[in-house]
Amino acid sequence: MKKTIFLLAFLACSILLIAQAPQKMSYQAVVRDGSGKLIQNRQVGVRISVLQGSANGAVVYTETHLATTNVNGLVSLEVGGGVTSNLFSQINWANGPYFMKTETDPDGGTAY
């Protein structure tokens, strides 16, 4: 009897977890300047936008990050965890396709 109740509870929880949309996505990029030189160990400004329908579609979500590159020019961040005025979790993923646009300011500002 205990095994049956445990199994039913486990299945119910599994179904709820499967139905959840991701709240954040990992993102990594190598940042270079206009001449192709790596931007190493510096703060860079990053703006990420989610566009609906096409690569030039309507912007449904935008966030900004101030991130630091490593010795290889690599920056790692979480989409959905930046500074924003709307919620990543509010994107209706069923209305896709969606495209992600990234912009950087190698000087750490907001001149993307």
Side-chain angles (χ1 to χ4, degrees):
M1 182 65 158
K2 287 184 181 180
K3 288 183 181 180
T4 305
I5 293 172
F6 176 75
L7 180 61
L8 289 174
F10 179 76
L11 289 174
C13 290
S14 297
I15 291 169
L16 291 174
L17 291 175
I18 291 171
Q20 301 301 311
Q23 301 305 308
K24 294 182 184 175
M25 293 187 299
S26 296
Y27 179 78
Q28 292 183 319
V30 174
V31 183
R32 297 177 183 268
D33 65 13
S35 63
K37 182 180 173 194
L38 289 175
I39 296 178
Q40 301 171 306
N41 301 315
R42 286 193 9 216
Q43 282 194 332
V44 294
V46 181
R47 178 167 59 190
I48 297 176
S49 302
V50 177
L51 311 173
Q52 185 177 19
S54 72
N56 297 315
V59 176
V60 296
Y61 176 80
T62 302
E63 71 181 30
T64 59
H65 293 263
L66 185 60
T68 303
T69 61
N70 67 12
V71 69
N72 298 314
L74 182 71
V75 63
S76 299
L77 44 95
E78 289 185 323
V79 178
V83 177
T84 184
S85 61
N86 47 2
L87 297 173
F88 187 71
S89 62
Q90 298 275 320
I91 298 172
N92 186 349
W93 296 105
N95 291 337
Y98 288 96
F99 295 79
M100 190 167 73
K101 176 181 175 182
T102 60
E103 302 166 278
T104 59
D105 179 355
D107 296 322
T110 58
Y112 307 108

